[in-house]
Amino acid sequence: MKKTILTGLRPTGNLHLGHYFGACKNYIKMQDDYDFYLEIADVQALTDNFNHPEKVRFNVFEITKDLLAIGLDPNKVNFFIQSKIPEIAELTVFYSNLVTVSRLERNPTVKSEISQKKELFGANGESITYGFLGYPVSQAADITAFHGELVPVGDDQLPLLEQCREIVRKFNSIYGETLVEPEQVLSSTTRVKGLDGNEKMGKSLGNAIYLVDDAETIHKKVMGAVTDPKKIRKDEPANPDICMVYYYHQLVSPKKQVEKVCQECKLGSRGCVQCKKELIAAMNLFLMPIQERRKYYEQQPEIVQKILDEGTEKARKKASEQMKKVKHAMKIDY
Ligand code: TRP
Ligand code: SF4
């Protein structure tokens, strides 16, 4: 029997290259070998977007189209919407007894998110909501509702996975062996830096290239990318290792071209404008098949809806079986 993999994404915006190279590219390989559940985590997205329900709703469909566009096969991956699985909400309530408030407050991922969302949660997190503080509990429910054994996520999600394992251990020790402790699937890919050289690519940082970006947008963004600041004239040698244009060539250009860029940059036989133009061409070539596939789904929204409906139905079935076991263990199977 295939092992179960579960992962989730918050529908708050389109996928960018950071998502793609940092996580989603791995899903494509995994879809053949696992029983794959892919959650569109709208309930989690609402924890810090409760005042923007239309944004979350819109992005449920946007992100699903992005995921289909990169080559995930709906016959292999169960796409589902979190809010349509009531078992997740139920489990969240049960698990909330098994975790202390101070433990949640110490969760490094939650802590750093609170400090980034001052306008919502206050300068010192004094206006933190019960829902946001508790979303790791809900994420533990996401994973365990499907008997998720493997969770492919980036390093930033490790504290959430650890929190989930703790809840599982506590549950099993009190109510008897019922749940499995999920393991992280280490991604072979790395975190992608932003066009500005920032360690992280993100929407709020304004340094991201999106899978849906058109040629004009790509042109503008790449032209503004950070290069070796010491290079002023085009025939001056420079250091490609501190240049974001070279960094992106490594992601999307053929190996030979990458070597050429590196050599010529070091020799001073390559100008930055030319170098950027070549990156723009390579980037467009990379995005073309993704955007072609996306167009297919954009033109037929009913297919996207059907994929979500069918995936959700399968997910619901799996979660309700798991729920029976949980309620039995907790002696609430009246
Ligand atoms: N917290 C994840 C993120 O912000 C999204 C997510 C929701 C998730 N549920 C999950 C990830 C379950 C892994 C497993 O990207
Ligand atoms: Fe960067 Fe290319 Fe300019 Fe070198 S030539 S600094 S790699 S943009």
Side-chain angles (χ1 to χ4, degrees):
M1 235 177 70
K2 285 181 179 176
K3 280 196 170 182
T4 303
I5 261 199
L6 179 129
T7 194
L9 289 133
R10 288 184 195 177
T12 53
N14 285 105
L15 293 185
H16 53 58
L17 292 184
H19 296 118
Y20 181 78
F21 288 107
C24 300
K25 198 178 159 196
N26 275 345
Y27 305 166
I28 301 166
K29 282 184 257 155
M30 290 168 184
Q31 63 181 347
D32 291 314
D33 305 326
Y34 298 97
D35 194 14
F36 202 139
Y37 290 85
L38 185 41
E39 177 183 276
I40 312 298
D42 61 341
V43 177
Q44 188 176 118
L46 283 165
T47 59
D48 59 343
N49 289 280
F50 53 84
N51 45 356
H52 298 293
E54 67 296 326
K55 170 180 153 190
V56 175
R57 187 190 175 100
F58 176 73
N59 281 303
V60 164
F61 297 97
E62 284 301 289
I63 212 162
T64 304
K65 281 181 277 185
D66 285 347
L67 289 163
L68 290 165
I70 65 169
L72 290 179
D73 180 347
N75 294 312
K76 297 175 182 164
V77 178
N78 296 309
F79 288 81
F80 71 95
I81 303 178
Q82 185 185 6
S83 61
K84 296 199 78 170
I85 313 290
E87 287 84 357
I88 294 175
E90 270 185 275
L91 285 174
T92 304
V93 175
F94 301 154
Y95 294 167
S96 63
N97 295 325
L98 308 178
V99 59
T100 64
V101 173
S102 70
R103 174 65 181 87
L104 290 168
E105 283 168 343
R106 273 185 280 119
N107 185 308
T109 306
V110 176
K111 249 166 99 173
S112 88
E113 283 176 300
I114 292 171
S115 72
Q116 283 162 20
K117 298 172 203 290
K118 292 193 179 5
E119 72 293 345
L120 205 55
F121 299 138
N124 303 304
E126 65 278 7
S127 312
I128 183 73
T129 60
Y130 170 62
F132 191 82
L133 186 65
Y135 93 73
V137 184
S138 156
Q139 186 155 322
D142 293 343
I143 298 167
T144 55
F146 304 96
H147 209 70
E149 295 163 285
L150 300 168
V151 184
V153 282
D155 285 352
D156 63 316
Q157 295 289 307
L158 273 183
L160 293 165
L161 209 56
E162 193 44 47
Q163 184 107 55
C164 175
R165 282 196 211 101
E166 282 177 33
I167 291 171
V168 167
R169 283 197 291 270
K170 189 130 191 213
F171 186 101
N172 287 344
S173 75
I174 297 171
Y175 305 115
E177 272 318 299
T178 313
L179 309 172
V180 285
E181 277 186 53
E183 281 172 45
Q184 183 201 27
V185 183
L186 279 171
S187 58
S188 52
T189 42
T190 42
R191 177 175 281 190
V192 182
K193 293 183 193 169
L195 288 162
D196 55 357
N198 193 306
E199 280 305 314
K200 208 179 160 187
M201 177 179 274
K203 187 176 177 182
S204 52
L205 298 162
N207 61 1
I209 290 181
Y210 291 89
L211 299 179
V212 291
D213 279 349
D214 60 15
E216 199 182 318
T217 311
I218 295 291
H219 184 93
K220 227 170 44 208
K221 287 183 178 174
V222 171
M223 280 305 183
V226 169
T227 57
D228 181 349
K230 289 217 185 84
K231 184 171 162 93
I232 314 280
R233 286 176 294 116
K234 72 173 188 183
D235 55 355
E236 234 174 341
N239 178 8
D241 292 330
I242 57 168
C243 171
M244 295 321 291
V245 177
Y246 178 62
Y247 181 86
Y248 280 96
H249 267 301
Q250 288 174 300
L251 292 177
V252 297
S253 295
K255 237 193 167 102
K256 267 205 171 129
Q257 166 78 354
V258 174
E259 282 165 18
K260 189 165 168 251
V261 171
C262 182
Q263 254 174 9
E264 291 181 357
C265 176
K266 285 179 178 165
L267 288 170
S269 60
R270 156 173 291 263
C272 291
V273 173
Q274 179 60 25
C275 195
K276 285 175 174 173
K277 283 194 175 145
E278 288 173 15
L279 175 60
I280 291 165
M283 191 69 82
N284 287 331
L285 216 56
F286 167 79
L287 292 175
M288 205 159 66
I290 296 176
Q291 297 185 351
E292 282 287 310
R293 225 174 289 135
R294 198 179 197 282
K295 214 170 278 160
Y296 168 81
Y297 292 106
E298 281 163 7
Q299 286 163 353
Q300 299 174 90
E302 67 282 2
I303 295 185
V304 180
Q305 184 69 55
K306 188 158 170 263
I307 288 167
L308 285 168
D309 287 346
E310 288 177 358
T312 300
E313 203 180 302
K314 284 199 193 124
R316 183 92 212 265
K317 219 166 142 202
K318 180 117 174 167
S320 73
E321 284 164 18
Q322 182 76 341
M323 203 63 213
K324 276 192 204 127
K325 288 185 205 157
V326 166
K327 286 193 168 170
H328 180 72
M330 294 180 70
K331 308 201 184 304
I332 50 173
D333 54 339
Y334 308 108

PDB file of all heavy atoms in Angstrom, residues 6-10 39 41 44 82 113 135 139 142-143 151-153 156-157 160-161, ligand 1:
ATOM      1  N   LEU A   6       0.569  14.296   2.959  1.00  0.00           N
ATOM      2  CA  LEU A   6      -0.341  15.425   3.022  1.00  0.00           C
ATOM      3  C   LEU A   6       0.440  16.721   3.098  1.00  0.00           C
ATOM      4  O   LEU A   6       1.413  16.827   3.838  1.00  0.00           O
ATOM      5  CB  LEU A   6      -1.248  15.347   4.252  1.00  0.00           C
ATOM      6  CG  LEU A   6      -2.188  16.565   4.292  1.00  0.00           C
ATOM      7  CD1 LEU A   6      -3.623  16.164   4.464  1.00  0.00           C
ATOM      8  CD2 LEU A   6      -1.771  17.607   5.301  1.00  0.00           C
ATOM      9  N   THR A   7       0.033  17.684   2.307  1.00  0.00           N
ATOM     10  CA  THR A   7       0.588  19.009   2.493  1.00  0.00           C
ATOM     11  C   THR A   7      -0.485  20.041   2.210  1.00  0.00           C
ATOM     12  O   THR A   7      -1.549  19.724   1.675  1.00  0.00           O
ATOM     13  CB  THR A   7       1.855  19.240   1.643  1.00  0.00           C
ATOM     14  OG1 THR A   7       2.521  20.414   2.122  1.00  0.00           O
ATOM     15  CG2 THR A   7       1.543  19.401   0.175  1.00  0.00           C
ATOM     16  N   GLY A   8      -0.224  21.271   2.607  1.00  0.00           N
ATOM     17  CA  GLY A   8      -1.227  22.312   2.436  1.00  0.00           C
ATOM     18  C   GLY A   8      -0.614  23.620   2.005  1.00  0.00           C
ATOM     19  O   GLY A   8       0.588  23.853   2.176  1.00  0.00           O
ATOM     20  N   LEU A   9      -1.454  24.453   1.437  1.00  0.00           N
ATOM     21  CA  LEU A   9      -1.027  25.794   1.043  1.00  0.00           C
ATOM     22  C   LEU A   9      -2.123  26.775   1.432  1.00  0.00           C
ATOM     23  O   LEU A   9      -3.306  26.483   1.267  1.00  0.00           O
ATOM     24  CB  LEU A   9      -0.825  25.866  -0.476  1.00  0.00           C
ATOM     25  CG  LEU A   9       0.381  25.108  -1.021  1.00  0.00           C
ATOM     26  CD1 LEU A   9      -0.025  24.291  -2.220  1.00  0.00           C
ATOM     27  CD2 LEU A   9       1.478  26.070  -1.393  1.00  0.00           C
ATOM     28  N   ARG A  10      -1.700  27.925   1.930  1.00  0.00           N
ATOM     29  CA  ARG A  10      -2.690  28.955   2.253  1.00  0.00           C
ATOM     30  C   ARG A  10      -3.064  29.714   0.975  1.00  0.00           C
ATOM     31  O   ARG A  10      -2.178  30.247   0.320  1.00  0.00           O
ATOM     32  CB  ARG A  10      -2.082  29.987   3.212  1.00  0.00           C
ATOM     33  CG  ARG A  10      -1.867  29.488   4.594  1.00  0.00           C
ATOM     34  CD  ARG A  10      -1.360  30.632   5.454  1.00  0.00           C
ATOM     35  NE  ARG A  10      -0.818  30.118   6.695  1.00  0.00           N
ATOM     36  CZ  ARG A  10      -0.251  30.873   7.628  1.00  0.00           C
ATOM     37  NH1 ARG A  10      -0.133  32.171   7.433  1.00  0.00           N
ATOM     38  NH2 ARG A  10       0.214  30.339   8.736  1.00  0.00           N
ATOM     39  N   GLU A  39      -4.036  19.996   0.400  1.00  0.00           N
ATOM     40  CA  GLU A  39      -5.075  20.828   1.003  1.00  0.00           C
ATOM     41  C   GLU A  39      -4.939  22.301   0.630  1.00  0.00           C
ATOM     42  O   GLU A  39      -3.873  22.892   0.798  1.00  0.00           O
ATOM     43  CB  GLU A  39      -4.993  20.700   2.529  1.00  0.00           C
ATOM     44  CG  GLU A  39      -5.989  21.592   3.249  1.00  0.00           C
ATOM     45  CD  GLU A  39      -5.844  21.514   4.752  1.00  0.00           C
ATOM     46  OE1 GLU A  39      -6.423  20.586   5.341  1.00  0.00           O
ATOM     47  OE2 GLU A  39      -5.159  22.355   5.337  1.00  0.00           O
ATOM     48  N   ALA A  41      -5.712  25.395   2.090  1.00  0.00           N
ATOM     49  CA  ALA A  41      -6.007  25.675   3.499  1.00  0.00           C
ATOM     50  C   ALA A  41      -6.709  27.022   3.679  1.00  0.00           C
ATOM     51  O   ALA A  41      -6.141  27.984   4.202  1.00  0.00           O
ATOM     52  CB  ALA A  41      -4.719  25.600   4.320  1.00  0.00           C
ATOM     53  N   GLN A  44      -7.163  28.089   7.419  1.00  0.00           N
ATOM     54  CA  GLN A  44      -5.912  28.647   7.961  1.00  0.00           C
ATOM     55  C   GLN A  44      -5.631  30.042   7.378  1.00  0.00           C
ATOM     56  O   GLN A  44      -5.174  30.944   8.087  1.00  0.00           O
ATOM     57  CB  GLN A  44      -4.728  27.712   7.679  1.00  0.00           C
ATOM     58  CG  GLN A  44      -3.475  28.169   8.385  1.00  0.00           C
ATOM     59  CD  GLN A  44      -2.312  27.204   8.214  1.00  0.00           C
ATOM     60  OE1 GLN A  44      -1.289  27.565   7.655  1.00  0.00           O
ATOM     61  NE2 GLN A  44      -2.437  25.984   8.708  1.00  0.00           N
ATOM     62  N   GLN A  82     -10.044  22.887   2.625  1.00  0.00           N
ATOM     63  CA  GLN A  82     -10.057  22.620   4.067  1.00  0.00           C
ATOM     64  C   GLN A  82     -11.434  22.828   4.702  1.00  0.00           C
ATOM     65  O   GLN A  82     -11.902  21.980   5.474  1.00  0.00           O
ATOM     66  CB  GLN A  82      -9.033  23.519   4.764  1.00  0.00           C
ATOM     67  CG  GLN A  82      -8.886  23.242   6.255  1.00  0.00           C
ATOM     68  CD  GLN A  82      -7.950  24.239   6.934  1.00  0.00           C
ATOM     69  OE1 GLN A  82      -7.499  25.208   6.320  1.00  0.00           O
ATOM     70  NE2 GLN A  82      -7.643  23.996   8.190  1.00  0.00           N
ATOM     71  N   GLU A 113       5.656  35.025  12.752  1.00  0.00           N
ATOM     72  CA  GLU A 113       4.520  35.539  11.975  1.00  0.00           C
ATOM     73  C   GLU A 113       3.802  36.662  12.726  1.00  0.00           C
ATOM     74  O   GLU A 113       3.403  37.651  12.116  1.00  0.00           O
ATOM     75  CB  GLU A 113       3.536  34.409  11.659  1.00  0.00           C
ATOM     76  CG  GLU A 113       4.027  33.507  10.539  1.00  0.00           C
ATOM     77  CD  GLU A 113       3.086  32.329  10.302  1.00  0.00           C
ATOM     78  OE1 GLU A 113       2.882  31.533  11.230  1.00  0.00           O
ATOM     79  OE2 GLU A 113       2.557  32.224   9.204  1.00  0.00           O
ATOM     80  N   TYR A 135      -3.526  28.124  15.247  1.00  0.00           N
ATOM     81  CA  TYR A 135      -3.548  27.460  13.950  1.00  0.00           C
ATOM     82  C   TYR A 135      -2.622  26.241  13.862  1.00  0.00           C
ATOM     83  O   TYR A 135      -2.899  25.313  13.097  1.00  0.00           O
ATOM     84  CB  TYR A 135      -3.360  28.457  12.785  1.00  0.00           C
ATOM     85  CG  TYR A 135      -1.955  28.659  12.288  1.00  0.00           C
ATOM     86  CD1 TYR A 135      -1.313  27.673  11.531  1.00  0.00           C
ATOM     87  CD2 TYR A 135      -1.260  29.834  12.541  1.00  0.00           C
ATOM     88  CE1 TYR A 135      -0.010  27.859  11.062  1.00  0.00           C
ATOM     89  CE2 TYR A 135       0.034  30.022  12.083  1.00  0.00           C
ATOM     90  CZ  TYR A 135       0.647  29.028  11.342  1.00  0.00           C
ATOM     91  OH  TYR A 135       1.916  29.204  10.905  1.00  0.00           O
ATOM     92  N   GLN A 139      -3.512  22.798  12.146  1.00  0.00           N
ATOM     93  CA  GLN A 139      -2.640  22.149  11.148  1.00  0.00           C
ATOM     94  C   GLN A 139      -2.337  20.695  11.543  1.00  0.00           C
ATOM     95  O   GLN A 139      -2.202  19.826  10.687  1.00  0.00           O
ATOM     96  CB  GLN A 139      -1.342  22.951  10.959  1.00  0.00           C
ATOM     97  CG  GLN A 139      -0.481  22.400   9.835  1.00  0.00           C
ATOM     98  CD  GLN A 139       0.452  23.441   9.218  1.00  0.00           C
ATOM     99  OE1 GLN A 139       0.083  24.598   9.055  1.00  0.00           O
ATOM    100  NE2 GLN A 139       1.662  23.039   8.882  1.00  0.00           N
ATOM    101  N   ASP A 142      -5.214  18.906  10.278  1.00  0.00           N
ATOM    102  CA  ASP A 142      -5.091  18.724   8.816  1.00  0.00           C
ATOM    103  C   ASP A 142      -4.338  17.441   8.492  1.00  0.00           C
ATOM    104  O   ASP A 142      -4.748  16.654   7.641  1.00  0.00           O
ATOM    105  CB  ASP A 142      -4.256  19.852   8.175  1.00  0.00           C
ATOM    106  CG  ASP A 142      -4.908  21.208   8.223  1.00  0.00           C
ATOM    107  OD1 ASP A 142      -6.122  21.264   8.453  1.00  0.00           O
ATOM    108  OD2 ASP A 142      -4.188  22.204   8.022  1.00  0.00           O
ATOM    109  N   ILE A 143      -3.233  17.283   9.186  1.00  0.00           N
ATOM    110  CA  ILE A 143      -2.331  16.167   8.867  1.00  0.00           C
ATOM    111  C   ILE A 143      -2.906  14.837   9.352  1.00  0.00           C
ATOM    112  O   ILE A 143      -2.974  13.862   8.613  1.00  0.00           O
ATOM    113  CB  ILE A 143      -0.934  16.413   9.489  1.00  0.00           C
ATOM    114  CG1 ILE A 143      -0.312  17.686   8.889  1.00  0.00           C
ATOM    115  CG2 ILE A 143      -0.023  15.208   9.282  1.00  0.00           C
ATOM    116  CD1 ILE A 143       0.917  18.205   9.626  1.00  0.00           C
ATOM    117  N   VAL A 151       5.012  14.603   5.316  1.00  0.00           N
ATOM    118  CA  VAL A 151       4.598  15.975   5.039  1.00  0.00           C
ATOM    119  C   VAL A 151       5.740  16.717   4.353  1.00  0.00           C
ATOM    120  O   VAL A 151       6.754  17.023   4.990  1.00  0.00           O
ATOM    121  CB  VAL A 151       4.196  16.715   6.346  1.00  0.00           C
ATOM    122  CG1 VAL A 151       3.682  18.108   6.036  1.00  0.00           C
ATOM    123  CG2 VAL A 151       3.150  15.935   7.121  1.00  0.00           C
ATOM    124  N   PRO A 152       5.614  16.981   3.064  1.00  0.00           N
ATOM    125  CA  PRO A 152       6.687  17.711   2.384  1.00  0.00           C
ATOM    126  C   PRO A 152       6.522  19.209   2.576  1.00  0.00           C
ATOM    127  O   PRO A 152       5.597  19.809   2.038  1.00  0.00           O
ATOM    128  CB  PRO A 152       6.488  17.321   0.901  1.00  0.00           C
ATOM    129  CG  PRO A 152       5.052  16.946   0.787  1.00  0.00           C
ATOM    130  CD  PRO A 152       4.540  16.595   2.158  1.00  0.00           C
ATOM    131  N   VAL A 153       7.362  19.778   3.387  1.00  0.00           N
ATOM    132  CA  VAL A 153       7.283  21.223   3.654  1.00  0.00           C
ATOM    133  C   VAL A 153       8.679  21.821   3.761  1.00  0.00           C
ATOM    134  O   VAL A 153       9.665  21.114   3.942  1.00  0.00           O
ATOM    135  CB  VAL A 153       6.537  21.526   4.985  1.00  0.00           C
ATOM    136  CG1 VAL A 153       5.047  21.406   4.821  1.00  0.00           C
ATOM    137  CG2 VAL A 153       7.047  20.651   6.110  1.00  0.00           C
ATOM    138  N   ASP A 156      10.703  26.297   7.306  1.00  0.00           N
ATOM    139  CA  ASP A 156       9.936  27.223   8.152  1.00  0.00           C
ATOM    140  C   ASP A 156       8.748  26.526   8.814  1.00  0.00           C
ATOM    141  O   ASP A 156       8.219  27.011   9.815  1.00  0.00           O
ATOM    142  CB  ASP A 156       9.450  28.420   7.322  1.00  0.00           C
ATOM    143  CG  ASP A 156       8.494  27.981   6.210  1.00  0.00           C
ATOM    144  OD1 ASP A 156       8.788  26.980   5.534  1.00  0.00           O
ATOM    145  OD2 ASP A 156       7.459  28.636   6.036  1.00  0.00           O
ATOM    146  N   GLN A 157       8.358  25.374   8.256  1.00  0.00           N
ATOM    147  CA  GLN A 157       7.203  24.659   8.793  1.00  0.00           C
ATOM    148  C   GLN A 157       7.581  23.602   9.840  1.00  0.00           C
ATOM    149  O   GLN A 157       6.713  22.960  10.421  1.00  0.00           O
ATOM    150  CB  GLN A 157       6.439  23.972   7.651  1.00  0.00           C
ATOM    151  CG  GLN A 157       5.807  24.935   6.668  1.00  0.00           C
ATOM    152  CD  GLN A 157       4.628  25.668   7.256  1.00  0.00           C
ATOM    153  OE1 GLN A 157       3.713  25.060   7.772  1.00  0.00           O
ATOM    154  NE2 GLN A 157       4.678  26.993   7.208  1.00  0.00           N
ATOM    155  N   LEU A 160       5.941  23.617  13.232  1.00  0.00           N
ATOM    156  CA  LEU A 160       4.534  23.215  13.189  1.00  0.00           C
ATOM    157  C   LEU A 160       4.405  21.699  13.159  1.00  0.00           C
ATOM    158  O   LEU A 160       3.508  21.114  13.752  1.00  0.00           O
ATOM    159  CB  LEU A 160       3.853  23.822  11.958  1.00  0.00           C
ATOM    160  CG  LEU A 160       3.731  25.348  12.006  1.00  0.00           C
ATOM    161  CD1 LEU A 160       3.396  25.906  10.648  1.00  0.00           C
ATOM    162  CD2 LEU A 160       2.690  25.761  13.012  1.00  0.00           C
ATOM    163  N   LEU A 161       5.346  21.082  12.476  1.00  0.00           N
ATOM    164  CA  LEU A 161       5.336  19.630  12.406  1.00  0.00           C
ATOM    165  C   LEU A 161       5.703  19.036  13.768  1.00  0.00           C
ATOM    166  O   LEU A 161       5.128  18.038  14.205  1.00  0.00           O
ATOM    167  CB  LEU A 161       6.328  19.180  11.335  1.00  0.00           C
ATOM    168  CG  LEU A 161       6.009  17.881  10.634  1.00  0.00           C
ATOM    169  CD1 LEU A 161       4.637  17.925  10.005  1.00  0.00           C
ATOM    170  CD2 LEU A 161       7.054  17.572   9.577  1.00  0.00           C
TER     171      LEU A 161
HETATM  172  N1  TRP B   1       1.124  26.379   7.150  1.00  0.00           N
HETATM  173  C1  TRP B   1       1.336  26.072   5.769  1.00  0.00           C
HETATM  174  C2  TRP B   1       1.874  27.325   5.080  1.00  0.00           C
HETATM  175  O1  TRP B   1       1.749  28.402   5.583  1.00  0.00           O
HETATM  176  C3  TRP B   1       0.112  25.595   5.041  1.00  0.00           C
HETATM  177  C4  TRP B   1      -0.515  24.343   5.594  1.00  0.00           C
HETATM  178  C5  TRP B   1      -1.783  24.219   6.065  1.00  0.00           C
HETATM  179  C6  TRP B   1       0.086  23.061   5.726  1.00  0.00           C
HETATM  180  N2  TRP B   1      -2.020  22.955   6.453  1.00  0.00           N
HETATM  181  C7  TRP B   1      -0.910  22.217   6.267  1.00  0.00           C
HETATM  182  C8  TRP B   1       1.343  22.528   5.406  1.00  0.00           C
HETATM  183  C9  TRP B   1      -0.651  20.854   6.534  1.00  0.00           C
HETATM  184  C10 TRP B   1       1.586  21.187   5.683  1.00  0.00           C
HETATM  185  C11 TRP B   1       0.609  20.365   6.234  1.00  0.00           C
HETATM  186  O2  TRP B   1       2.408  27.216   4.004  1.00  0.00           O
END
